[in-house]
């Protein structure tokens, strides 16, 4: 019958190692985060800031467009062209 390697490894971990082969492992303190290291939270914050500025710019443009006078319709342009082709007539009122 085959021996279960997983169970064998578990039983070996429970057995203490001989004192001569054991080394004291000191925990390493956490390393400070370097500014050049990738930080996903900072990247998302920066991206949200860019999107916010872009939305503010679009809102400003929309406000300016809404403040402009309304453009002439195609029918109004045709009427103006027809009047220009017929000529403009006016009468002087000296009274």
């Amino acid at each position: 019958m085959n021996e279960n390697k997983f169970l064998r490894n578990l039983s070996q971990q429970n057995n203490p190692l001989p004192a001569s082969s054991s080394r004291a492992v000191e925990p390493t303190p956490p390393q400070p985060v370097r500014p050049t290291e990738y930080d996903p939270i900072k990247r998302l914050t920066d991206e949200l800031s860019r999107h916010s500025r872009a939305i503010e710019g679009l809102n400003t443009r929309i406000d300016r467009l809404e403040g402009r006078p309304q453009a002439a319709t195609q029918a109004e342009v045709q009427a103006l062209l027809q009047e220009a082709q017929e000529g403009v007539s006016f009468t002087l009122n000296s009274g």
Side-chain angles (χ1 to χ4, degrees), residues 2-81:
N2 291 339
E3 184 180 335
N4 189 332
K5 293 178 184 178
F6 178 74
L7 292 176
R8 185 180 65 186
N9 288 338
L10 285 178
S11 65
Q12 286 177 356
Q13 287 177 358
N14 289 337
N15 294 334
L17 295 174
S20 62
S21 67
S22 67
R23 293 185 310 183
V25 178
E26 295 179 17
T28 58
Q31 298 295 323
V33 177
R34 288 180 238 127
T36 58
E37 228 174 277
Y38 175 74
D39 184 11
I41 302 299
K42 183 175 180 337
R43 184 188 67 82
L44 289 174
T45 305
D46 292 344
E47 192 169 332
L48 286 173
S49 296
R50 284 193 306 273
H51 286 296
S52 179
R53 286 192 302 272
I55 289 171
E56 288 174 4
L58 290 172
N59 284 339
T60 303
R61 287 182 179 185
I62 289 171
D63 290 342
R64 275 189 281 154
L65 286 174
E66 287 176 348
R68 290 182 178 178
Q70 191 173 7
T73 63
Q74 184 69 25
E76 291 172 336
V77 172
Q78 289 299 327
L80 288 173
L81 285 175

